[in-house]
Amino acid sequence: MPIDFKALEEKWRREWEKARIFESDPIPDRRKCFVTVPYPYMDGPLHVGHGFTSTRVDIYARFRRMQGYNTLFPWAWHWTGEPIVGAALRLKRGDESMIRALKLIDGVSEEELEKLTDPAYMARYYTEDSKEVLKRLGLSIDWRREFHTTYLEPTYSRFIAWQYETLRSKGFVTKGTHPVVWCPHDESPTGDHDRLEGEGVSPEEYTLIKFRIANAFAPAATFRPETIYGITNMFVNPDAPYVEAFVDGERWIVSQKAAMKLKEQLRKVEVLREFKGSELVGKTFEEPIGGRSLPILPGWFVDPESATGLVYSVPSHAPVDWVAIRDLLEKPEKLQVFGISPEVVRSIKPISLIKVEGYGEHPAIEIVERMGIKDQLDARLEEATNEIYRKEFHTGILKPICGKYAGRLVSEVKAELIQEFKDAGIADSMYDLPRRVVCRCTTPCIVKILEDQWFLKYSDQDWKALAHKAVDLAAIYPESARSYFHQTIDWLRDWPCARRTGLGTPLPWSDDWIVETLSDSTIYMAFYTIRKHIVAYGLNEKQLTNEVFDYIFLEKGNLEEISRKSGLEASLLKEMRNEFLYWYPVDLRNSAKELIRNHLTFFIFHHVALFEQRHWPRGIGLNGYLMIEGAKMSKSKGNFVTLKKAVNSYGADATRLTLALGAQGMDDPDWRTSTAQEVRSRLEAFYNFVMELSSLEVKASNGHLEAWILARLQERIKQVTEELEALRTRSAAEIAFYEVWNDLRWYLRRVKAPDAATLKEFLGVWIRLLAPFIPFICEELWHRLGNRDFVSNAPWPLYDAKKVDEKALETERFLKDLLEDTQRVLQATGLKPRLVSYYTAAAWKYKAYRELLRLVGDGITDMGAIIRKLREDPYLAERSRLLPSFVNKALEEAKKLPKDRMRKLLELGFLNELEILKDASAFLADELHSTVIVYDEDDGKKYDPKNRASSARPGRPAIYVE
RNA sequence: GCGGAGGUAGCCAAGCCUGGUCCAAGGCGCGGGGCUCAGAACCCCGUGGCGUAGGCCUUCGUGGGUUCAAAUCCCACCCUCCGCACCA
């Protein structure tokens, strides 16, 4: 019978809302559980990836709630940042692909489309849309605490202002300068996601070696300043524009482009005159180490867009330099234009300065020849350069010509050398992009050094130490993620925490800056605790002074005074303080693993900076990144599944269970339509199955099969509980759903008439085990089973060791094994059995086996020794002749037995196999479609034409099939 | 380049930390059977190879090693994936 999941889910959603069962208030003396997920950014609809993370947390929350924890799961919305503004803007401009995506994927209607050009409207639109979906998904959220970020929610902005003023007063916010990739058109930093070209490119610092030409400096740019010891000449692009300019008071010669760039790097630049590169060619300059006078040669490979547009030449170690010189040697006519004598070039001798394994004197020349490089514009030069650079950097040793640096590794001395050159005034530096970067707005980017930039001082060693400590104190799920946090803490540098554009909260002391999006989302879990009061009492931002927050979160200040100044009742302040104290710390914050490197670690940093240790995070969970049909989810690729669509197509429970079964730990789950469909039909089957069973009214004996199924159930309770406590939601769902089902299947197969009372108990437990995963169906079934309260609030099943009937478990295990053995025989022989005879082992074999197990347990595994030992027993000695063949097989088996099972066997004693088989013979006959007879090996009247009975062993009766 | 994670049967995916119960859970798919007027659902059996008796042989990226015993521990190699920041 098909089930109307939609109506069922709708019904229970309303019931839960009506009964307000997920609205959590402090209950003194009751243990609490506070779980959160990062609030989603509202530039689009929620997708199944959001569903994955939040379902995991909801499963955990529901589990804890049933365990009796007063559980709080709040939710909020992130509006801070640039993308919402950007999206609204693109829409306004009529971006076609954007409009298509909005209509097709997000399901936006025509009349809404126009309104979405307002960023605030867009954020609100998606927020409303998403909230509805989350409710339909069955998340057990306390919606009274909902909020969104930015100045559009002044009380939140006030909270952020308090946070930043406090951080600043503690010295965690500092002002500094910093190079960024900059779009001159947008006048803002261009992050990776805002680029048309140049993903992953970041500013690199070039060293400038200052060469003297007459009364000016020609700063040539390099990443390898150590090669100065092998300089032979300089290259200038004769066709490119250069300038002479005052740079910070010095007369410099650089490319025209470089002069512009330097201006953006806090240099005072005053251009004196412009000229073509050819003007420099043929002149000489003085190198600063040996004071030699060297020539300037034409180099068409020199890119005036890169750094200073001046390159010094080290033909021994730089393939391009060598090839450029070779070009000039081969085509001296090119020199004549500039009036340079070919003799000048011919007299250039490469100077070797780095010794590197696998190469001789002049690595650059060798590689150029080996690769057969044509000329200075050959594309493979880049490859050659990389190869030489890498080799020389990691393994190269500087030669005696390098003076005080001789004998050391290049990689070792580089930083030191740069510093000393700078100190000596022969070097300087500038930033540039190693590759072209183009902004979304199509403008090529440059490097700009931002002044007055505000930073969170994550480089602070004391702060890092506290963060490390917080990670050590927290539970991390899975444990393997812990080291990621430590690494991230070490790796983190100062973080620019304010931007000029986008939505957000202004910096309280400088309102032309907005607190950046990753920086305004670090401690808002604390805000949840008091958001309830802000809404209920209609508090406004003016009342929420710094003193008020200080009191609530830090218990600072005098209550009466704060009350008087803020106009808030002292009792209310106290209530808020208590609410915070009750819920804090966060017991679990769960997110996708990619947030470790930013958000989650920021979250830790800010907590240790602001709160007492008892309020630091207690648990952090990580999960993988959701894939769609095996591929990364992306709107442009079209494989984007919104949460709404999933819930519409499969229903909330099927969506939840599909997600829960998807993956565990930090593995990436894969959303597949086929899986979701399968899960949905399994759920239908599950529902019908339970309904069918619950209506059975069979009064049956309370035999060992009932003991077995209930014992089995206890094991499952234990497993599911342990898995959930460790946030292993996948295993938990798998056991609760499939394994329990399999147990029940076996019971029903075994038992002729299932016992109604046992089934009732079983179903009651099963439904509760499943309630965190598929709450709607479970709620329905729970009520249909005659319960009047909500399963969402029902007590979680407790493992009861008293119900674990070991004998029953062993008995069924024995039968399953025997059935399996029999089937193997049938398979091997291809027989369709008419008669199956079983022979249980003779009494002496049990005695011998027990003794053997004991000996093996004591570490005696030598066959001869064991037989001798057994013969000491007169009873066994009588069967001396039979012992070897029995011991041979039994020993082999016993050696493989795991220790705890061996112990159990010895403790429990052996089963009465003959009796068990006699009881089960009808069942076995049924299963095997055959007559089944059972004998004791010692039975004198047994039917045993092929003398199989002698191979019977304890636990493994002999089998004869015909 | 630097740092990290991982490679398990047709597919997805457990196990690996703490070696033996591992030819290796569970699910999907596939084959066979049952139920049924038929189908779907459901139930049972099978799904590396060989085998007329519960067994044997070969398998857990590749190649070595440790061990009585290795998917599990050690070493080397091959391959895949992720992060490397001003941004949600």
Side-chain angles (χ1 to χ4, degrees):
Chain A
M1 173 182 36
I3 304 139
D4 188 350
F5 280 123
K6 206 164 207 164
L8 184 155
E9 289 172 0
E10 189 64 21
K11 172 171 108 189
W12 290 109
R13 171 192 157 178
R14 298 286 168 214
E15 291 290 328
W16 293 335
E17 272 174 30
K18 209 163 71 193
R20 299 166 166 255
I21 58 172
F22 304 130
E23 295 182 3
S24 309
D25 297 313
I27 304 171
D29 303 327
R30 176 109 166 264
R31 52 190 186 164
K32 62 91 187 178
C33 183
F34 181 25
V35 303
T36 65
V37 294
Y39 42 31
Y41 186 66
M42 284 293 104
D43 65 339
L46 296 178
H47 50 72
V48 277
H50 292 111
F52 178 62
T53 299
S54 54
T55 296
R56 257 166 73 84
V57 169
D58 189 57
I59 288 167
Y60 188 77
R62 285 175 173 275
F63 162 64
R64 287 302 194 197
R65 193 175 289 114
M66 290 174 75
Q67 275 191 322
Y69 288 85
N70 188 15
T71 301
L72 174 61
F73 181 11
W75 196 278
W77 312 96
H78 207 189
W79 291 9
T80 309
E82 324 239 338
I84 293 176
V85 178
L89 203 65
R90 264 194 292 158
L91 188 59
K92 200 167 194 168
R93 290 200 197 121
D95 184 320
E96 284 299 329
S97 70
M98 169 121 198
I99 293 170
R100 205 174 322 117
L102 281 172
K103 284 190 188 163
L104 247 60
I105 299 171
D106 304 4
V108 176
S109 69
E110 199 68 52
E111 59 265 32
E112 291 285 353
L113 214 50
E114 200 170 318
K115 298 185 198 156
L116 290 177
T117 54
D118 170 19
Y121 187 89
M122 178 180 275
R124 196 157 278 129
Y125 174 87
Y126 285 122
T127 296
E128 288 310 313
D129 189 58
S130 301
K131 183 176 176 181
E132 174 65 17
V133 179
L134 295 183
K135 286 184 169 180
R136 287 180 55 202
L137 187 63
L139 299 190
S140 56
I141 290 166
D142 182 350
W143 286 106
R144 297 171 306 164
R145 300 169 191 268
E146 177 192 12
F147 63 88
H148 59 257
T149 65
T150 80
Y151 67 91
L152 294 163
E153 176 49 68
T155 61
Y156 185 76
S157 271
R158 189 71 269 289
F159 173 70
I160 296 300
W162 167 78
Q163 179 187 355
Y164 274 81
E165 284 179 337
T166 310
L167 286 172
R168 194 184 177 202
S169 72
K170 293 187 165 194
F172 292 119
V173 180
T174 56
K175 205 171 172 179
T177 57
H178 192 70
V180 296
V181 179
W182 181 264
C183 171
H185 175 265
D186 289 354
E187 298 199 350
S188 95
T190 309
D192 245 4
H193 305 281
D194 298 326
R195 298 178 190 174
L196 288 176
E197 196 184 323
E199 203 188 338
V201 177
S202 51
E204 299 271 7
E205 188 174 3
Y206 288 73
T207 299
L208 306 181
I209 303 288
K210 288 159 72 178
F211 299 109
R212 192 167 274 288
I213 302 180
N215 63 342
F217 285 114
T222 181
F223 284 128
R224 309 176 63 191
E226 69 277 6
T227 59
I228 186 69
Y229 294 101
I231 183 174
T232 58
N233 62 292
M234 195 188 305
F235 284 114
V236 166
N237 189 325
D239 305 326
Y242 287 79
V243 299
E244 194 172 323
F246 275 120
V247 175
D248 290 342
E250 275 181 353
R251 195 180 285 263
W252 280 19
I253 292 167
V254 294
S255 72
Q256 190 184 43
K257 200 80 192 217
M260 285 168 55
K261 289 176 182 170
L262 286 166
K263 264 186 212 167
E264 298 292 347
Q265 298 184 16
L266 307 180
R267 303 277 194 170
K268 235 186 121 222
V269 179
E270 188 192 333
V271 174
L272 302 170
R273 68 180 189 100
E274 299 182 4
F275 57 92
K276 262 181 83 179
S278 53
E279 192 183 303
L280 289 169
V281 173
K283 291 190 172 161
T284 60
F285 66 98
E286 185 190 311
E287 55 92 1
I289 301 290
R292 289 173 293 153
S293 182
L294 301 167
I296 298 177
L297 299 177
W300 289 269
F301 69 93
V302 174
D303 181 3
E305 298 275 328
S306 175
T308 54
L310 300 172
V311 175
Y312 75 81
S313 165
V314 188
S316 178
H317 299 281
V320 199
D321 296 348
W322 166 246
V323 175
I325 288 171
R326 199 182 63 184
D327 286 355
L328 293 175
L329 283 170
E330 285 167 1
K331 295 186 179 140
E333 68 276 12
K334 290 208 165 185
L335 285 170
Q336 274 164 17
V337 187
F338 305 104
I340 304 172
S341 150
E343 191 49 43
V344 171
V345 180
R346 229 175 285 140
S347 69
I348 290 176
K349 294 280 170 280
I351 301 168
S352 178
L353 71 128
I354 297 170
K355 184 174 160 48
V356 62
E357 212 177 310
Y359 288 95
E361 274 294 282
H362 304 299
I365 299 176
E366 283 177 35
I367 198 165
V368 162
E369 260 143 40
R370 196 176 67 216
M371 290 175 68
I373 284 168
K374 263 194 354 269
D375 59 28
Q376 61 184 287
L377 301 174
D378 194 319
R380 285 171 307 155
L381 267 171
E382 191 178 326
E383 193 189 324
T385 302
N386 282 340
E387 158 92 21
I388 294 293
Y389 184 16
R390 204 167 40 231
K391 260 255 157 66
E392 293 190 343
F393 179 74
H394 291 291
T395 64
I397 293 172
L398 295 170
K399 292 187 172 177
I401 192 175
C402 302
K404 62 177 287 201
Y405 303 107
R408 296 174 63 192
L409 273 169
V410 172
S411 57
E412 235 172 47
V413 302
K414 190 158 227 148
E416 180 185 328
L417 180 143
I418 290 171
Q419 193 53 51
E420 288 183 4
F421 281 9
K422 280 186 181 176
D423 292 346
I426 62 175
D428 206 319
S429 69
M430 80 175 280
Y431 290 97
D432 205 352
L433 300 167
R435 285 194 349 252
R436 192 174 141 89
V437 175
V438 180
C439 178
R440 270 226 178 106
C441 74
T442 70
T443 311
C445 296
I446 57 166
V447 177
K448 183 180 175 71
I449 295 183
L450 286 181
E451 275 184 290
D452 297 343
Q453 174 67 278
W454 293 97
F455 289 92
L456 284 162
K457 219 178 155 200
Y458 293 139
S459 64
D460 186 299
Q461 289 305 315
D462 295 336
W463 200 1
K464 280 183 195 280
L466 285 177
H468 280 299
K469 187 175 174 194
V471 169
D472 287 334
L473 291 172
I476 311 280
Y477 313 99
E479 180 58 40
S480 59
R482 192 182 299 277
S483 63
Y484 283 75
F485 280 101
H486 287 304
Q487 283 164 24
T488 303
I489 290 167
D490 287 334
W491 162 84
L492 217 53
R493 302 192 301 251
D494 289 351
W495 181 264
C497 61
R499 284 181 70 91
R500 294 285 189 188
T501 52
L503 297 177
T505 293
L507 264 189
W509 59 85
S510 179
D511 62 11
D512 49 345
W513 287 97
I514 284 164
V515 178
E516 174 272 338
T517 172
L518 283 169
S519 305
D520 85 339
S521 54
T522 58
I523 57 159
Y524 67 89
M525 313 84 213
F527 193 68
Y528 283 129
T529 65
I530 59 162
R531 175 66 182 162
K532 187 182 91 179
H533 305 87
I534 292 174
V535 174
Y537 296 94
L539 307 187
N540 67 46
E541 71 276 15
K542 295 209 175 56
Q543 296 167 298
L544 297 170
T545 60
N546 284 348
E547 292 71 28
V548 166
F549 286 129
D550 279 346
Y551 172 75
I552 295 171
F553 298 125
L554 311 173
E555 204 168 16
K556 267 169 58 179
N558 178 288
L559 182 56
E560 271 66 44
E561 203 177 301
I562 295 164
S563 166
R564 205 173 55 246
K565 274 190 171 163
S566 64
L568 298 177
E569 299 264 357
S571 61
L572 175 59
L573 288 169
K574 221 167 170 147
E575 204 183 312
M576 288 162 91
R577 167 71 182 161
N578 285 336
E579 183 104 15
F580 169 73
L581 277 180
Y582 182 78
W583 292 116
Y584 245 61
V586 174
D587 292 285
L588 175 70
R589 183 162 185 78
N590 185 82
S591 95
K593 62 188 169 192
E594 55 264 36
L595 295 194
I596 295 177
R597 294 190 78 79
N598 42 58
H599 166 71
L600 287 171
T601 300
F602 287 18
F603 156 73
I604 292 167
F605 265 100
H606 285 243
H607 273 81
V608 301
L610 293 166
F611 296 109
E612 302 167 58
Q613 187 174 321
R614 61 175 169 151
H615 293 141
W616 293 0
R618 206 172 266 168
I620 300 174
L622 291 316
N623 55 251
Y625 185 86
L626 190 106
M627 313 287 276
I628 302 289
E629 310 289 344
K632 234 181 191 166
M633 175 157 45
S634 107
K635 272 192 182 177
S636 54
K637 265 193 272 164
N639 62 340
F640 189 92
V641 181
T642 63
L643 194 52
K644 190 199 271 182
K645 186 171 174 234
V647 173
N648 281 344
S649 309
Y650 312 105
D653 281 335
T655 301
R656 291 172 63 108
L657 190 56
T658 305
L659 290 169
L661 289 168
Q664 188 140 289
M666 293 196 286
D667 295 341
D668 296 334
D670 188 11
W671 174 270
R672 285 180 192 274
T673 305
S674 57
T675 314
Q677 267 158 356
E678 168 63 21
V679 167
R680 189 192 152 90
S681 72
R682 294 293 283 201
L683 284 179
E684 239 167 79
F686 165 73
Y687 182 91
N688 290 329
F689 185 47
V690 173
M691 286 316 296
E692 200 180 306
L693 291 177
S694 64
S695 62
L696 289 179
E697 278 300 341
V698 185
K699 166 90 181 62
S701 66
N702 196 4
H704 103 273
L705 284 173
E706 282 67 35
W708 177 81
I709 183 78
L710 294 179
R712 206 58 188 187
L713 188 59
Q714 291 308 312
E715 295 186 330
R716 300 306 184 194
I717 291 171
K718 194 172 174 202
Q719 289 171 343
V720 175
T721 306
E722 282 171 3
E723 298 296 318
L724 280 177
E725 272 167 352
L727 203 66
R728 287 193 293 263
T729 42
R730 194 194 111 92
S731 306
E734 198 261 319
I735 295 166
F737 195 60
Y738 291 111
E739 303 284 4
V740 174
W741 199 330
N742 285 343
D743 292 340
L744 189 53
R745 228 174 245 146
W746 177 255
Y747 170 72
L748 294 174
R749 196 171 146 195
R750 278 281 279 130
V751 80
K752 273 198 227 73
D755 177 54
T758 304
L759 276 183
K760 198 171 168 175
E761 179 179 345
F762 183 92
L763 293 178
V765 171
W766 195 17
I767 288 165
R768 278 180 290 152
L769 287 180
L770 284 170
F773 306 97
I774 44 172
F776 293 103
I777 289 176
C778 288
E779 202 65 83
E780 176 73 19
L781 289 171
W782 184 248
H783 283 76
R784 290 199 174 227
L785 288 188
N787 296 288
R788 321 230 3 220
D789 52 354
F790 289 110
V791 76
S792 304
N793 276 332
W796 183 254
L798 276 179
Y799 172 73
D800 182 355
K802 287 200 295 294
K803 287 189 176 168
V804 180
D805 184 330
E806 295 285 0
K807 205 106 193 174
L809 290 171
E810 278 299 324
T811 300
E812 290 311 294
R813 185 188 181 124
F814 164 71
L815 279 170
K816 267 189 192 173
D817 286 350
L818 183 63
L819 201 54
E820 200 178 299
D821 275 351
T822 312
Q823 259 143 6
R824 274 204 209 176
V825 171
L826 294 179
Q827 204 191 328
T829 57
L831 288 172
K832 278 216 175 237
R834 195 164 50 74
L835 174 68
V836 176
S837 315
Y838 291 116
Y839 313 90
T840 56
W844 67 268
K845 286 183 175 171
Y846 288 94
K847 195 167 195 326
Y849 193 54
R850 184 193 311 273
E851 196 53 36
L852 183 144
L853 283 183
R854 226 174 257 138
L855 291 170
V856 171
D858 290 344
I860 300 169
T861 54
D862 178 69
M863 174 127 159
I866 288 172
I867 291 178
R868 275 194 299 282
K869 217 42 179 190
L870 293 180
R871 279 189 186 134
E872 285 169 18
D873 185 311
Y875 175 69
L876 293 178
E878 279 175 39
R879 285 143 184 99
S880 188
R881 241 174 0 96
L882 302 171
L883 275 176
S885 74
F886 171 70
V887 170
N888 185 27
K889 289 231 159 169
L891 179 62
E892 210 172 298
E893 215 171 66
K895 280 200 290 198
K896 283 191 193 158
L897 232 43
K899 287 180 193 72
D900 55 331
R901 197 163 141 68
M902 191 186 287
R903 203 177 321 117
K904 211 175 260 179
L905 273 176
L906 286 170
E907 263 169 35
L908 223 59
F910 294 107
L911 300 168
N912 186 337
E913 295 176 16
L914 187 65
E915 197 176 303
I916 292 169
L917 286 184
K918 278 184 173 160
D919 284 350
S921 59
F923 164 72
L924 291 168
D926 230 37
E927 290 288 317
L928 299 167
H929 307 292
S930 161
T931 308
V932 169
I933 45 174
V934 185
Y935 299 102
D936 187 312
E937 183 187 347
D938 275 346
D939 187 339
K941 295 192 296 262
K942 63 178 183 291
Y943 169 73
D944 185 16
K946 289 266 168 75
N947 190 27
R948 299 272 182 210
S950 61
S951 64
R953 272 175 288 139
R956 304 197 75 177
I959 304 168
Y960 175 57
V961 179
E962 58 187 321

